Amino acid sequence: MATKTTDNTTTATSDKKVAIENATVKEGEMKNAPLHKFFVDALKDIYYAEHKLVDALQIMHDAATTEELKDAFEDHQLQTKKHISRLEKVFKLIDETPEQKKCDAMDGLIKEGEEIIKSTEAGSMTRDAALIIAAQKVEHYEIATYGGLTQLAITMGHDKAADLLEKTLQEEEDTDYNLTEIAETNINFDAQQED
């Protein structure tokens, strides 16, 4: 979806117009538009969430039993750092400063993960099965967020930002799939055998 820019030099103020599909908005007004403000607010929210997740993934890695799950958490931690960098590029593309806004949803998901660690036996497959579920709850939150942000970016004509957000969305979906594979391959069955 192309963004078309036209200059209108009849006034002293910037009347540069941006055409997105059938709508035309003055460039200066776009930043004040409610949808743009919501989009930026949601970016700040997920930016905070990704920062918090880097630390949470280390805790989950340390609590995991199997090397396969430890490796998955380590890989996702590295990937999450790339997601943070990608979000910073998105902020730059839309001429906004990267800022974090407290994300109650991620804080709650992380707290739930910490409770799982406290309530399961160290070294058990039950703990690993529970950690996978906790991690997938986080993934589903991220998938919903990045999916929505991608579509908003497309709607507002932020095509490069949409491409970056879509790439992160795909990686979150891949991580969710990989966690399912790890659970279904052996961890869930081994957990079922525990006393």
Side-chain angles (χ1 to χ4, degrees), residues 28-44 91 94 96 101 149 152 156 158:
E29 292 175 3
M30 188 181 300
K31 280 190 138 186
N32 295 322
L35 187 60
H36 178 81
K37 287 181 178 180
F38 174 78
F39 180 69
V40 172
D41 198 52
L43 284 173
K44 291 176 181 180
F91 278 109
I94 63 168
E96 294 285 347
K101 176 188 167 225
L149 287 171
L152 288 178
M156 293 184 293
H158 301 308

Side-chain angles (χ1 to χ4, degrees), residues 125 128-130 132-133 180 182-193:
M125 292 298 105
D128 276 11
I132 288 172
I133 291 171
T180 297
I182 293 169
E184 291 178 351
T185 302
N186 62 2
I187 289 176
N188 288 355
F189 296 109
D190 291 345
Q192 184 183 15
Q193 304 302 317

Side-chain angles (χ1 to χ4, degrees), residues 5 18-19 23-24 26 30 39 41 49-50 54 62 64-65 67 78 97 101 105 121-122 135 137 149 164 171 175:
T5 304
V18 179
T24 303
K26 288 182 183 175
M30 188 181 300
F39 180 69
D41 198 52
E50 294 285 28
V54 169
D62 295 345
T65 302
E67 282 306 312
L78 294 172
T97 303
K101 176 188 167 225
E121 185 179 334
K137 287 181 180 184
L149 287 171
L164 292 173
E171 290 171 357
T175 297

Side-chain angles (χ1 to χ4, degrees), residues 1-37:
M1 155 165 336
T3 301
K4 197 180 346 177
T5 304
T6 58
D7 283 315
N8 182 347
T9 57
T10 58
T11 62
T13 61
S14 174
D15 278 345
K16 197 174 195 182
K17 294 184 179 180
V18 179
I20 303 165
E21 289 193 356
N22 296 329
T24 303
V25 179
K26 288 182 183 175
E27 195 172 60
E29 292 175 3
M30 188 181 300
K31 280 190 138 186
N32 295 322
L35 187 60
H36 178 81
K37 287 181 178 180

Side-chain angles (χ1 to χ4, degrees), residues 48 60 95 155 159:
Y48 170 96
M60 294 173 86
D95 196 30
T155 299
D159 296 336

